[in-house]
Amino acid sequence: MGYSDISALLVAIHRKTGLVTFLGPALLPQFGEFDGLDAFTESWFRSVLMAPVSPLSLDASGVSICERLAWDREHTRPRRRYPDPGPRMVKRGQAEGRIVAGNVGTMLALAGTPFFPDLDGAILCIEDDETESTATVDRFLTQLRLMGAFDRISALVVGRFHPAVGFNREDSLADLLIQATLGHDLPIAMDFDVGHTDPMVILPQGIRAFVSFRDEPEVTLLDMAVCQSARG
């Protein structure tokens, strides 16, 4: 489990073994928070890995934590929290498919290798970090288009970008998504609690999910990612 560059391992392990891997919190950035793991993130950790629940809907945290504190110098207080309006729809629709989830730039570095994920029928969930820009995200989306990814996936779920990337709250990211998927009838929604801001949900690689982007953007995990142990 992890995110960012760890996406290369997450998608490669699943592609080669079929094992479920998890896009989610990492040891130092999330579990090592000054005041402990965020309650929303912890609830997802428990619901996916410790006491699995199915079906499980991606509820919104209602907050965004983007502040960076150096662990060796500034990690002396909780990071600042800001209200967050939650996911927004870009294109309406419904779809069911397997989850393929990861950092989009890292994932695309595997293009043309045996480790790139199988996108046929997938619900593609992407995120990226604060070192990217609107231009590089545009390039990633264009590469996905030219690779034929939008011909193969069933839906596109986009995580919340860090403000440093440069997207405004109006329409700039939505515009890029609409332009990149022009001619493709895909359900698309953005600003989920996935990626390089906190809190975060956990997305299990390879399990079935259902998206309903109609009145509100809804993503539901249909399968449990781990088996419940027998109690006796």
Side-chain angles (χ1 to χ4, degrees):
M1 184 172 66
Y3 61 103
S4 198
D5 292 347
I6 296 298
S7 296
L9 297 177
L10 301 180
V11 299
I13 290 171
H14 180 71
R15 182 63 195 263
K16 286 299 184 178
T17 69
L19 293 172
V20 175
T21 57
F22 302 88
L23 184 72
L27 184 60
L28 190 55
Q30 279 73 45
F31 286 89
E33 282 276 7
F34 174 79
D35 50 354
L37 187 64
D38 178 87
F40 179 86
T41 305
E42 181 179 352
S43 71
W44 269 86
F45 184 81
R46 292 181 178 277
S47 295
V48 172
L49 292 167
M50 297 178 67
V53 176
S54 178
L56 182 62
S57 295
L58 268 64
D59 52 336
S61 68
V63 299
S64 178
I65 306 171
C66 302
E67 185 181 24
R68 300 296 184 209
L69 296 176
W71 291 303
D72 57 343
R73 300 189 307 276
E74 303 171 309
H75 194 233
T76 58
R77 60 170 175 82
R79 293 186 294 158
R80 296 185 180 92
R81 305 165 70 90
Y82 297 96
D84 186 86
R88 295 187 292 154
M89 284 184 293
V90 178
K91 288 185 177 181
R92 296 177 182 273
Q94 293 182 317
E96 182 177 324
R98 298 170 297 101
I99 288 179
V100 171
N103 178 281
V104 64
T106 301
M107 191 183 298
L108 285 171
L110 299 175
T113 76
F115 307 108
F116 191 75
D118 178 9
L119 297 181
D120 289 341
I123 295 176
L124 179 61
C125 307
I126 59 174
E127 58 93 13
D128 221 308
D129 63 49
E130 68 274 15
T131 65
E132 301 298 344
S133 66
T134 57
T136 57
V137 174
D138 186 17
R139 186 180 72 211
F140 294 151
L141 294 172
T142 300
Q143 183 176 347
L144 285 169
R145 179 183 178 89
L146 294 176
M147 290 170 57
F150 301 137
D151 293 316
R152 300 167 60 191
I153 65 174
S154 61
L156 182 60
V157 173
V158 182
R160 179 175 53 219
F161 279 94
H162 193 283
V165 176
F167 290 117
N168 56 46
R169 181 60 192 175
E170 284 71 48
D171 298 311
S172 58
L173 176 55
D175 288 342
L176 289 185
L177 291 167
I178 290 170
Q179 179 180 344
T181 59
L182 193 65
H184 299 274
D185 187 21
L186 285 175
I188 304 173
M190 54 187 268
D191 293 341
F192 287 89
D193 289 303
V194 175
H196 278 72
T197 63
D198 292 282
M200 60 177 65
V201 299
I202 296 176
L203 294 177
Q205 200 90 229
I207 72 163
R208 291 182 308 121
F210 176 74
V211 302
S212 179
F213 299 159
R214 294 188 181 277
D215 296 330
E216 298 289 340
E218 297 179 359
V219 178
T220 302
L221 309 184
L222 299 177
D223 302 325
M224 289 189 293
V226 298
C227 296
Q228 290 179 301
S229 60
R231 297 179 183 272

